[in-house]
Amino acid sequence: MLNPRQRLRPRLPLLGDAPAFRQDLLATLARGRFEQGDVARYRLGPVTVYGVSSPEDAERVLTDSDTFGKLGPDNPLRLALGDGLLTRSDHDSWLRNRRMVAPIYHRRRVETMYTTMQDCVQEMLVRWQDELAPGAVIDLHTQLMHVTLDIVSRCMFSMPMISADSALRPESVEYAVTYTFLRLQNPVAPPTWVPTPANRRFAAIIGGLDELMASMITQRRRTLAAGEPGKEDLLDMLMRATDADTGAQMNDTELRDEIITTLAAGHETTAITLTWAFYLLSTHPVWRRRVIEEIDAVLAGRAPTVADLPKLPLVAQVFDEALRMFPSSPTVPRQSRRPVRLGPYDVEVGSRVLIDVHGLHRNRRHWPDPEVFDPTRFGPEGRSGRSRWAHLPFGGGPHLCVGKQFALQEAQLLLASIFSRYDVRHHPGYPVDDRATITLRPRHGLRVVLHPRLTARLVPARKVA
Ligand code: HEM
């Protein structure tokens, strides 16, 4: 958030709130809530934007997709993700694809991916054990970005995609996300074909990703055509699916868009929230001790199995509270498709409506002392009586995050496995600050000191094909 001594950029005649949005999205939305209430109006050049921060209004917007649709074809996210689940604006074809992929995200199916998730985590822990001296300082955020990308690649596409020369690197994803955000907030951004340094770098990243996706698709088509046994993963599922009406299968562009959407949506969000969870525990030693006690009581130094996860409720509550305080998707955008009234405003067709998730999670009517880290808010008593629309880290309504179960399982596994072996503390010499774009990431990463808690050595995990 904005340094309190720094001033937020004023509303300008032509650009409106665009400079303030670009300077500090969360502070601008906070100013809007303070000045206007639960529904606040902003202007980004010619585009009017409404910020919504009450559970009642959020429910209305997220459940009425006839009135509040996904952003249209000019959504800058499509420059990277194409027309995948996250960005598809046509409701019928979105629903068809959502139904197609839904089975792989069911709880039972996600549980079968646990061993692969565990292998990825164990490989990271073995690397730490072999390469880091006790008390080493690491950027935990970078490590978590790598392991979550590894997990989603191996679980959904049966292939590791992390390597020094891979086009798919956390840094490229980060650049692409920031580039897209800046275009979203800048009504006068130069067209993508103008060879500015930013446009050229973005095009190079997307070109590299396209090549990677193309070779992945070709390789899998070849193995399927050769009659080799399928991998039973998301890629197989997408390739075999046929449209009930037309009998058509997905072409390479559709496949590319769904793969890239899954990789992008499926790792940074989880990595960021885990980073904030470690930061919050590091700065709240009483909670850190309780979490470690819970983990030790259940695991006694061994790796967590999937059956252990329900026995680690505090770990899950910490993740929920981190999602409340630092929602990795701080806003969820929609576009109005018909005239509608929201709060005191008549919303015109084509306006952007932003669920201000960060503001909603700090709405004092639903969250007492919202600035306080308190995982008991998500215990059985803490939850009772609260609207489920007051906590929307995964969105809500028909577009509710399809990967929610996957993310929750992965997060519990990572928190429990890391704390089982290490006490993790923020290094006080490095600043921590948030930067909200499309995601809410720690601006400078998170430097932590790792203190080993166990002397027993880990053995490398079995290699996954
Ligand atoms: C902590 C982790 C995560 C958070 C906070 C998160 C958040 C979100 C949110 C807020 C949406 C709704 C967007 C909208 O309504 O416009 C969404 C959608 C989506 N998420 Fe997640 N997500 C997470 C993890 C994952 C994972 C692990 C995957 C896949 C492996 C995934 C895949 C998707 C996809 C494909 C969509 C589009 C769903 C649709 O519109 O049908 N997400 N996510």
Side-chain angles (χ1 to χ4, degrees):
M1 284 275 268
L2 203 70
N3 170 342
R5 278 174 304 189
Q6 210 181 330
R7 284 198 39 199
L8 203 50
R9 301 225 166 91
R11 193 163 283 171
L12 296 177
L14 283 177
L15 295 173
D17 299 291
F21 264 61
R22 285 164 63 99
Q23 180 194 10
D24 193 316
L25 174 66
L26 299 186
T28 310
L29 293 174
R31 178 175 70 181
R33 292 195 301 275
F34 179 73
E35 289 175 355
Q36 306 178 55
D38 286 345
V39 180
R41 183 164 62 185
Y42 310 89
R43 209 165 44 71
L44 303 184
V47 182
T48 311
V49 178
Y50 296 86
V52 165
S53 56
S54 77
E56 300 77 20
D57 292 319
E59 178 178 2
R60 247 185 90 200
V61 172
L62 291 175
T63 51
D64 180 359
S65 30
D66 289 338
T67 308
F68 304 99
K70 287 276 192 159
L71 300 195
D74 56 347
N75 179 358
L77 257 182
R78 292 166 82 114
L79 296 171
L81 304 183
D83 216 6
L85 267 194
L86 200 58
T87 40
R88 199 169 263 264
S89 53
D90 168 59
H91 185 81
D92 292 344
S93 63
W94 161 79
L95 188 59
R96 183 199 60 204
N97 286 3
R98 170 94 183 199
R99 287 187 177 143
M100 201 185 283
V101 303
I104 207 147
Y105 290 102
H106 283 161
R107 181 191 288 269
R108 293 267 166 257
R109 189 74 180 263
V110 168
E111 281 176 4
T112 65
M113 301 175 195
Y114 189 82
T115 319
T116 307
M117 288 187 178
Q118 211 175 24
D119 286 345
C120 300
V121 176
Q122 198 171 338
E123 278 175 30
M124 178 183 76
L125 293 175
V126 168
R127 232 184 14 257
W128 288 4
Q129 164 188 279
D130 293 347
E131 293 172 9
L132 302 175
V137 178
I138 60 162
D139 179 1
L140 186 62
H141 177 56
T142 304
Q143 297 285 326
L144 291 169
M145 287 284 277
H146 275 94
V147 74
T148 51
L149 185 52
D150 200 21
I151 287 175
V152 71
S153 321
R154 281 157 62 164
C155 288
M156 293 294 174
F157 306 110
S158 310
M159 53 170 81
M161 280 185 224
I162 295 276
S163 67
D165 59 349
S166 168
L168 187 64
R169 284 192 301 276
E171 313 83 83
S172 355
V173 173
E174 185 167 331
Y175 186 83
V177 169
T178 306
Y179 172 93
T180 317
F181 169 78
L182 293 177
R183 289 195 78 81
L184 204 52
Q185 312 308 338
N186 184 1
V188 292
T192 44
W193 51 263
V194 177
T196 61
N199 282 349
R200 290 218 310 263
R201 181 161 175 208
F202 181 74
I205 289 173
I206 298 302
L209 287 177
D210 284 347
E211 273 178 36
L212 180 70
M213 299 301 122
S215 84
M216 195 169 143
I217 293 168
T218 311
Q219 202 180 322
R220 183 65 67 90
R221 281 205 194 286
R222 216 174 279 147
T223 53
L224 289 181
E228 287 177 30
K231 302 267 188 199
E232 303 302 325
D233 58 5
L234 178 62
L235 188 51
D236 264 13
M237 193 176 235
L238 293 171
M239 282 190 170
R240 290 178 203 257
T242 48
D243 189 315
D245 297 328
T246 63
Q249 293 196 307
M250 280 195 172
N251 63 32
D252 284 5
T253 308
E254 289 171 305
L255 285 170
R256 175 257 180 228
D257 292 352
E258 291 302 344
I259 298 171
I260 211 154
T261 294
T262 311
L263 292 169
H267 85 285
E268 196 198 0
T269 40
T270 314
I272 290 175
T273 315
L274 279 165
T275 307
W276 290 120
F278 278 105
Y279 172 67
L280 287 164
L281 288 174
S282 173
T283 47
H284 295 82
V286 173
W287 283 112
R288 188 175 70 239
R289 206 181 51 245
R290 285 188 201 165
V291 165
I292 290 178
E293 277 168 11
E294 179 181 271
I295 293 170
D296 287 351
V298 176
L299 302 180
R302 64 177 171 77
T305 65
V306 72
D308 289 323
L309 300 187
K311 298 177 207 151
L312 298 168
L314 186 55
V315 173
Q317 287 168 33
V318 163
F319 192 68
D320 274 336
E321 177 69 340
L323 279 166
R324 182 190 70 82
M325 295 189 76
F326 297 99
S328 47
S329 304
T331 59
V332 172
R334 292 289 183 270
Q335 193 162 38
S336 58
R337 295 199 170 144
R338 46 170 83 141
V340 62
R341 193 157 176 91
L342 262 185
Y345 299 111
D346 287 318
V347 175
E348 322 75 32
V349 173
S351 304
R352 236 185 262 165
V353 178
L354 277 187
I355 308 296
D356 174 2
V357 178
H358 187 266
L360 179 71
H361 287 181
R362 287 161 195 252
N363 185 323
R364 288 178 189 277
R365 272 186 287 123
H366 303 273
W367 302 102
D369 300 322
E371 305 301 330
V372 174
F373 172 64
D374 179 5
T376 62
R377 297 179 201 272
F378 294 94
E381 276 177 33
R383 277 178 196 275
S384 90
R386 188 172 58 232
S387 160
R388 72 182 185 85
W389 295 92
H391 188 237
L392 296 178
F394 294 100
H399 289 278
L400 174 77
C401 174
V402 74
K404 182 176 169 185
Q405 279 310 323
F406 186 98
L408 295 177
Q409 176 175 299
E410 177 186 14
Q412 254 194 314
L413 163 67
L414 269 158
L415 273 165
S417 305
I418 294 176
F419 268 126
S420 183
R421 299 199 63 83
Y422 292 95
D423 195 2
V424 182
R425 303 206 185 176
H426 169 229
H427 190 299
Y430 293 90
V432 176
D433 187 11
D434 56 23
R435 161 115 171 93
T437 59
I438 291 169
T439 53
L440 178 56
R441 70 165 68 98
R443 192 187 292 263
H444 314 287
L446 179 69
R447 303 291 168 144
V448 298
V449 188
L450 287 184
H451 297 284
R453 301 183 52 239
L454 294 174
T455 46
R457 287 187 70 75
L458 272 176
V459 286
R462 69 190 171 87
K463 278 272 172 237
V464 178

